[in-house]
Amino acid sequence: ALSSVNPTRPDPSVDYDLWSGTFSLESASLTPPGGGVVQSGAAEVEVTPDSLHLSAAVHSAVGSEDELSLSLRGSLSATCCDELELRCEPLALEAAGESCAEGEALVDAVAAATGLSFRAVSEARWEADVPTLYLAQLFLDQELHVLQWSADSTAAGGEAREMGEASHAVDPARLLVLLRPR
């Protein structure tokens, strides 16, 4: 695991300077079962010692120019030496204008990719409840932050682990790679 090659073994409960700030999300992708009808654009993650805000653009990969903005906010806390807990507010998808011609289709595709159930709160905005997420710290330094998310603390990596040994299997589908802009 990457944590075994991280020379400083940063601890998220005390090393706020390493894991807070503005990052670009380099691993952003939404791939619904049966086809890639959704692409995510540039995503930015703003992290403070007690909160997280992710914003991204989502658009159809099949030629439509319609686009939705995606926003996820939540409170963040360190739960142990290698894990952060993210208590999420509803995930929001919003069309740029009054409405989006293919908005429902994009929302359906995001729902299929994430397994979340969206509800319309207006003609141009949809929301979905997100469970508490656990973010295992796989690698952390000044410029690179690699996390693995899970809805279960144990699956993310919340069990105690010995120096250099991950207590969980790395799942590439659940990895988040954050880079600090230069």
Side-chain angles (χ1 to χ4, degrees):
L2 286 173
S3 58
S4 65
V5 298
N6 196 349
T8 60
R9 291 246 338 130
D11 180 343
S13 64
V14 293
D15 292 329
Y16 300 114
D17 60 322
L18 290 178
W19 60 265
S20 61
T22 301
F23 299 89
S24 62
L25 180 61
E26 298 298 321
S27 57
S29 66
L30 297 170
T31 308
V37 297
V38 176
Q39 289 183 338
S40 54
E44 183 176 280
V45 180
E46 180 69 32
V47 182
T48 69
D50 60 0
S51 69
L52 178 140
H53 177 226
L54 179 142
S55 58
V58 178
H59 57 90
S60 173
V62 293
S64 169
E65 296 194 19
D66 284 341
E67 183 174 276
L68 298 174
S69 63
L70 179 145
S71 178
L72 178 67
R73 294 179 185 274
S75 62
L76 196 61
S77 61
T79 58
C80 68
C81 69
D82 67 349
E83 182 181 271
L84 299 169
E85 178 184 78
L86 176 62
R87 293 192 178 270
C88 303
E89 296 174 8
L91 174 66
L93 294 173
E94 193 161 7
E98 292 289 318
S99 64
C100 177
E102 291 192 18
E104 289 290 337
L106 281 172
V107 171
D108 290 345
V110 172
T114 61
L116 298 173
S117 296
F118 285 86
R119 62 192 171 280
V121 293
S122 74
E123 283 189 29
R125 184 178 172 91
W126 300 264
E127 291 182 351
D129 292 328
V130 178
T132 297
L133 298 175
Y134 297 90
L135 308 171
Q137 301 272 346
L138 300 183
F139 187 85
L140 175 63
D141 69 13
Q142 293 293 335
E143 296 180 12
L144 175 67
H145 195 175
V146 180
L147 302 161
Q148 178 166 277
W149 66 269
S150 176
D152 173 24
S153 179
T154 303
E159 297 177 340
R161 65 180 178 179
E162 295 184 23
M163 186 70 147
E165 290 184 34
S167 63
H168 57 284
V170 174
D171 179 355
R174 294 186 296 129
L175 288 181
L176 299 173
V177 177
L178 304 176
L179 286 177
R180 194 177 302 272
R182 294 179 184 247

